[in-house]
Every structure is written in structure tokens, then in C-alpha cells.
Amino acid sequence: MVTRVARKVAGLVATLLATSFVIFGAAYAAPGDPVTFLAGGKENLTPEYLAAIRAQYHLDDPFLVQYLRWLGDAVTGDLGRSLKYNDQVGDLLTARVPTTLGLVAYAAVLFVVFGVALGVLAAVRGGRTDAAVVAGTTFATSVPPFVAATALISLFGVQLGWFPVGGGGSLWHLTLPAITLALGALAIISRVTRQAMVEQRELDHVTVARASGLSERLIVVRHVFRGALGPIVTMCGLVTAGLLAGTVTVESAFQLSGVGTLLVGAINTHDFPVTQAVLLLMVTAYIAVTTLVELVQPLIDPRARSRS
Amino acid sequence: MLLEIRNLTIEAGGNRPILRDVALSVARGEVVGLVGESGSGKSTIARAVLRLLPQNAAARGQVLVEGQDVLSLDDGGLRSLRAATVSMIYQDPRSSLNPVRRIGDFLTERMVHTLGRGRKEARGRALELLAAVGMRDPELRMRQYPHELSGGMLQRVVIAAALAADPALLLADEATSALDVTTQAETLALLRGVQAERELGMLFITHDLHLAAAYCDRIYVLYAGTVVESRPASALFADPRHPYTAGLLACTPELGDPRPIKPIPGRPPSLDDAFAGCPFAPRCAHAVAACASSPPPSVAVEGGSAACHLIKEEAPAC
């Protein structure tokens, strides 16, 4: 058990190191020299002044030295200073992470509840219900998020006035953005649920349960859904992890100041410390969610317990 | 009669019915063998007794369990029949159990969820049953998962679960075919033991005619969905009357018997093969012109009946 956990942690650290290197390298190789932004106006672009800035920001060090310095600071919690806002990157993130996390969590609750419910409905009822669920969720997913956002804003925000049209701060504000985000995941979750349940339903032990006189409802709950839980949980986890890095459109559409908008702004202004920190945060969140999913699997399937 | 099947015909889309005009009966305390090649409709008969037929299947005739027609029962009646009167044991014990639930869950599920007994009572009963089927350390087994047990142990668990509701009729569908020889022998002995002790009726389905002849009181031989011969096991074994039965017996080599092994030529018919006459005629060495044109009537022979044009009606033996 101890070695298993140790191996797991070592793997996570290695993954994070590798991604941090890639992220840092990508920012380094990106076109555009941050010095020109740091210098300010055109009148400042004298060789002496540029050299001074390079020295101040350690931009003239070799790549590896820069990387290691950044990594060392990041490990101790110092993510650097934003070139644009001149604030600590850590502070910028702390201000914006709660909004994005709240948004993703809200959306996750929505698509898990409705996606799984629709999938179960499609599997159990079959026929027309199945076709309606497939058509409806496919439609919901194929609508681009900015279109869905606009439609939701104009209907529920402007015409009916049930929800605020933008800004963050409360669950109330996050409802329309979370719905927009969840719509994109509905089709895949309901389809995976339906497929896993249909596969489980064909298994012999389900027939055995039916032959022992169990009611259909109990067969679905105790055997079919229980057996389908593994793939459903995995898929929900992966989709949630994906959403963490995909909130940009929704955040811009609803003027939420979350991590997504921060990232886009940082990329546009060549604000490397912020870009690197946000990307690293997204990767970390993704790894955390997928690891959690992996850790939950043995609880769902006892066979996974003895294998590992 | 505990189980009586009359004129059962089941169609499911093929060129011929899966079962045609099957008549079969099992009395209390009797072990009845049902023998045939794969695809002959053996399992369909067992499934019909529990009305576990495919969605597209249409059944005609009667399947009477303790006088009730299973085919016309309402949902509640069907559930209580499945829960309390008839139990089925399947070929592969490993696929009969839900892999993510404990053995204890499997054993108590029927008692708790369909018969409405208390959990504690069901647990006590499950422990008794595990001990009765010869499982050591039943407390531990209750907590284990199916993948932690061997095939032989799992088949014992399945048998214990089948006995949970004190059924009157056991359907054993190739219950020992997937087990190795020693486990098979143990399981057969165990089944016979509980059957005799509880005076259960048992329908023992197998493809092994020799096993059936040694194990059962009476035997039905099934070919392409029709019963071709039904007689007491000893009579059938000593003097098979239908050419198919004789062919099945001649398929197995015997020690100290120099006769050559004679496989039956050809393949068992599929659901796409339709027959105007006797379904076995294309593979039968003794076929005459009449065999291909009209279905053979069932003729009374010593102890039972056989369906073959070549058999002349006999006076019942006194």
C-alpha cells in the first residue's frame, strides 16, 4: 500500500515536471520578445535600456538556468510577478480561481445529474425515448458555447429577467454560465451511460437476477447501473478535467473574471509569468481530477483492488 | 405433476420454430434428463419454464408449474414463481454472479428483495446453505467477491442460492459442463444429494447422453426442437429406439469395447433449415422415402415414446 502510494506520487511529480518544462519552453520559444513590452513605449528602445531590463528580469541567462530559477521559485510558491498588472501572479490566481472552480463544479453537478439521468432513461426505455435523448443531447452539444451563451442570456437574462446577464459573485450569477458549460458535456455523458448500461444488461448475471424474481427496477439499480458505474465515473471525471481548461469562452461571454479570461489576456499581452502559471495550474487540476478518478475505481470494482 | 409442458411451440423468426410441439413432464422427486446437441432447443425449454424468452419469441402451448400456466401468468405471479418455485443453475458459474457484488449479496438478494425476509434472517439462512453445499468457512465466503473463488466453489454458491427459496423445481442447464472432471463429480453428487433430501424435481440439461443415462431417471432426447425419444434412462441406454439416440450413444468411445467410434455425419441443423419430414432424415443412415416427406408420429415404445417412421407401434409391456 505504501509503495503503491509512493509510486503514484512519484509519477505525479514526474508528470508535473515534464509539463512545466514544456510550458516554460513553449513560452520561451513563442514569437515576440517580452523585453519590448517591458520597455514600454518606442522611445525607450535603446540598446542600453533593453540590456538593463534583460539583466533585471534575468532574460539573458541560458534557457536551462531561467527554467530552473523559475521552477525553484514556483516550488516555494513564488510564481513571479505579472509583467502587465505588476502584481504577484499568486495573488492574481487566488482572486480568480474560485470563480472558475465554482463554475466548473456547478457545471459538473449539472451534467452528471442530467447526463446520467438521460442516459439511464434512454437505456431503460429504449425506442423513441432513446432516439429523443440522442437527438436532444447531440443538438445541445453541437451548439457552440458562445451561441448557447447568447441565446441563454437573451432568453433568461434579458427577456424573462430570471438571471443576471453577466458578472460573478454568487450561484445565481453562475447558473447561466454553468448551464452553457454543461450543455456541451450532456451528449457524451448520456451516451456513455446508455452504452455502458446496455452492455451490462446483456450480461448473464443480469438474466440470473431476473430469473430469481427480482423486479426490473431493482435489476436496473442493483445490477445494470451498478455495473455501468465504472465507465460513467471515469467519463464524468475526464470531462470535468477537460472543462477546467475550457472555460474561456463561457467566461468571456458572461464577463466572469476567471482563470480562462486571465489566460487569454496574458497570452495576448505576452505576460509570460501569468501564462505559465495558469497553464501549470490547469495541468495540475487535470492531473488531480484524473488521479482522483483512478483512486475511486477500486472502490467501484473490487477486481481492480486485487489487480493493483 | 410438478412441471408439465404441453404442445410447446416457440417461434423466433427463423425458417423453423426453435421448439415444435414439445411435451415434457417432471414429477416431484424425479430427475429428468434433457439431452441434445447445441442448438437443439434444450436451454430454450428451461428458459420457457421461467418465461425468460427472447423479446421476439412467440410461444404457443402450455407450461404448467404446479398447475399454473407460466406463459399466461401476470408479472407478480411470474416474479413469485421465479423467486420461490423454480430455480435455475447455469452453465458458467462465473458469469452467473455480479462481479462487483459480494457472495453474501448474491445469496441474500432473492430472500431480501423478492421474498421480503429480514436481512439478519436471510444472512443466517445463507450461512446455513453455504455449509449445506459443503463450503468451508462460510462467514469468510459471504464477504468475498466472485473473482476470489474457484469455479467449483462458485458453482456451489450458485447451487446454494438456487436452494435459498426452497424451490420445488430445479433447472440445471449444463450445470457441470464448464467444470473440470473432479469438480464436476463433486457438483453432481451435491446436486443429487440436495435433490433427494428435499425431494426436488430436477430437469437436468446436458449434451452428454452417457452422463444423463447414469444420472437421471428419465430422459428426453431433443433434436432440432422436437422430442425424438423419451424413455426411462436404463431402457434408453440399453436399447435406444430412435436412430439419433443410437447415433449419440455410438459417438463415445468405450474402454474395453473394440467397436469403432461412429460420429453422426453432417451438422446439427440451424434455425434456417426447415423440414417437411423428419428433421433427422438428412443425417440418418436408415432413412426411407417417407422420412423426407412427412413428420414422424410419436409412437409408444417400451417405457416411453419415440418419433420415427421406422418404429412400429408396440403393445405396452406388462
Side-chain angles (χ1 to χ4, degrees):
Chain A
M1 186 66 200
V2 176
T3 50
R4 216 183 108 208
V5 171
R7 199 174 299 164
K8 189 101 225 162
V9 170
L12 288 182
V13 171
T15 314
L16 271 178
L17 270 181
T19 46
S20 74
F21 185 79
V22 170
I23 288 169
F24 191 89
Y28 186 86
D33 190 342
V35 172
T36 49
F37 295 90
L38 289 169
K42 262 184 186 147
E43 65 280 7
N44 292 335
L45 290 176
T46 59
E48 298 76 31
Y49 187 65
L50 289 182
I53 291 179
R54 277 187 212 282
Q56 186 194 341
Y57 286 92
H58 305 291
L59 291 173
D60 43 4
D61 288 347
F63 171 69
L64 268 181
V65 175
Q66 289 192 40
Y67 169 66
L68 288 177
R69 181 180 297 116
W70 173 73
L71 187 67
D73 287 347
V75 167
T76 55
D78 178 10
L79 290 165
R81 192 170 276 275
S82 163
L83 307 183
K84 181 183 163 205
Y85 300 98
N86 212 19
D87 273 335
Q88 283 295 326
V89 174
D91 296 340
L92 283 174
L93 284 179
T94 348
R96 285 155 179 265
V97 162
T99 304
T100 301
L101 276 189
L103 176 63
V104 170
Y106 197 166
V109 169
L110 289 179
F111 77 68
V112 168
V113 169
F114 289 101
V116 171
L118 285 172
V120 170
L121 193 72
V124 171
R125 290 278 173 81
R128 270 191 209 162
T129 316
D130 187 12
V133 167
V134 169
T137 54
T138 307
F139 174 72
T141 298
S142 58
V143 175
F146 60 89
V147 175
T150 316
L152 287 174
I153 289 173
S154 77
L155 181 60
F156 294 104
V158 179
Q159 300 214 351
L160 296 170
W162 292 354
F163 295 98
V165 292
S170 71
L171 274 189
W172 201 239
H173 285 84
L174 286 180
T175 301
L176 288 185
I179 291 176
T180 313
L181 211 50
L183 279 180
L186 267 190
I188 189 163
I189 297 297
S190 66
R191 210 74 70 82
V192 165
T193 306
R194 174 191 170 278
Q195 198 53 38
M197 295 218 7
V198 167
E199 266 166 35
Q200 288 290 319
R201 198 169 53 190
E202 303 300 321
L203 293 181
D204 286 350
H205 71 79
V206 175
T207 311
V208 173
R210 188 169 290 127
S212 74
L214 222 58
S215 67
E216 279 305 311
R217 196 182 62 80
L218 282 171
I219 287 174
V220 168
V221 174
R222 288 178 63 88
H223 294 286
V224 181
F225 185 67
R226 178 67 183 76
L229 213 51
I232 294 176
V233 168
T234 304
M235 204 25 107
C236 288
L238 288 179
V239 170
T240 308
L243 285 192
L244 283 168
T247 55
V248 181
T249 323
V250 174
E251 281 178 15
S252 337
F254 289 93
Q255 300 136 50
L256 292 170
S257 68
V259 175
T261 43
L262 181 66
L263 176 66
V264 172
I267 291 176
N268 286 337
T269 56
H270 295 257
D271 194 349
F272 291 149
V274 174
T275 312
Q276 287 160 354
V278 171
L279 287 177
L280 199 60
L281 181 77
M282 283 174 170
V283 171
T284 312
Y286 195 94
I287 293 177
V289 173
T290 46
T291 307
L292 195 69
V293 167
E294 213 174 306
L295 290 177
V296 168
Q297 284 301 330
L299 298 180
I300 296 172
D301 190 341
R303 286 167 297 178
R305 247 170 272 171
S306 49
R307 239 183 272 131
S308 46
Chain B
M1 200 52 83
L2 182 56
L3 169 66
E4 183 151 21
I5 296 179
R6 292 181 191 154
N7 307 332
L8 181 64
T9 299
I10 293 179
E11 282 173 282
N15 287 336
R16 66 173 171 88
I18 304 177
L19 295 178
R20 193 207 307 254
D21 247 349
V22 169
L24 181 153
S25 65
V26 180
R28 197 168 282 280
E30 190 184 27
V31 179
V32 172
L34 188 53
V35 181
E37 287 163 288
S38 45
S40 59
K42 308 177 299 247
S43 295
T44 308
I45 293 183
R47 284 166 180 269
V49 177
L50 286 165
R51 212 168 91 195
L52 282 173
L53 295 167
Q55 296 268 319
N56 61 347
R60 291 197 306 273
Q62 285 180 306
V63 178
L64 302 169
V65 175
E66 292 181 328
Q68 273 185 313
D69 188 2
V70 178
L71 297 180
S72 57
L73 274 179
D74 58 13
D75 280 1
L78 184 63
R79 272 214 301 282
S80 77
L81 169 103
R82 288 172 176 176
T85 317
V86 183
S87 276
M88 184 138 156
I89 299 165
Y90 300 82
Q91 174 165 15
D92 182 4
R94 202 165 288 283
S95 65
S96 300
L97 273 76
N98 187 337
V100 299
R101 289 195 170 273
R102 293 173 197 276
I103 302 292
D105 276 346
F106 177 70
L107 286 169
T108 55
E109 182 170 64
R110 186 195 298 234
M111 293 187 267
V112 172
H113 290 283
T114 58
L115 300 171
R117 302 203 192 140
R119 269 178 202 284
K120 214 170 219 164
E121 186 197 340
R123 208 185 124 73
R125 174 99 175 109
L127 287 172
E128 273 173 39
L129 286 167
L130 282 181
V133 297
M135 294 277 274
R136 264 174 290 169
D137 212 350
E139 290 272 356
L140 169 70
R141 301 291 173 229
M142 293 281 280
R143 289 194 304 274
Q144 284 183 309
Y145 288 96
H147 69 276
E148 297 172 296
L149 269 63
S150 71
M153 289 208 276
L154 284 179
Q155 196 60 295
R156 282 166 192 264
V157 170
V158 170
I159 293 173
L163 298 174
D166 274 323
L169 178 64
L170 271 187
L171 308 171
D173 187 359
E174 302 268 12
T176 60
S177 307
L179 306 175
D180 64 48
V181 190
T182 48
T183 335
Q184 184 177 26
E186 277 174 29
T187 311
L188 286 171
L190 172 68
L191 265 179
R192 190 84 212 207
V194 294
Q195 179 271 331
E197 186 188 329
R198 292 159 201 247
E199 276 214 60
L200 305 177
M202 178 151 81
L203 187 62
F204 187 82
I205 299 173
T206 177
H207 58 269
D208 185 344
L209 183 52
H210 287 263
L211 172 64
Y215 195 71
C216 304
D217 303 324
R218 276 190 306 123
I219 292 179
Y220 290 82
V221 180
L222 208 60
Y223 187 81
T226 55
V227 174
V228 293
E229 185 162 2
S230 72
R231 294 169 67 204
S234 51
L236 184 104
F237 191 69
D239 175 27
R241 303 303 295 270
H242 195 281
Y244 178 62
T245 319
L248 277 184
L249 284 170
C251 279
T252 324
E254 267 174 75
L255 198 64
D257 181 356
R259 81 185 155 81
I261 305 169
K262 279 187 288 179
I264 304 175
R267 282 181 299 109
S270 80
L271 279 182
D272 293 327
D273 304 320
F275 304 99
C278 172
F280 186 60
R283 299 170 73 188
C284 184
H286 313 285
V288 293
C291 296
S293 56
S294 67
S298 189
V299 183
V301 294
E302 185 201 346
S305 66
C308 179
H309 285 297
L310 301 173
I311 303 172
K312 296 283 163 285
E313 189 99 25
E314 298 172 6
C318 302

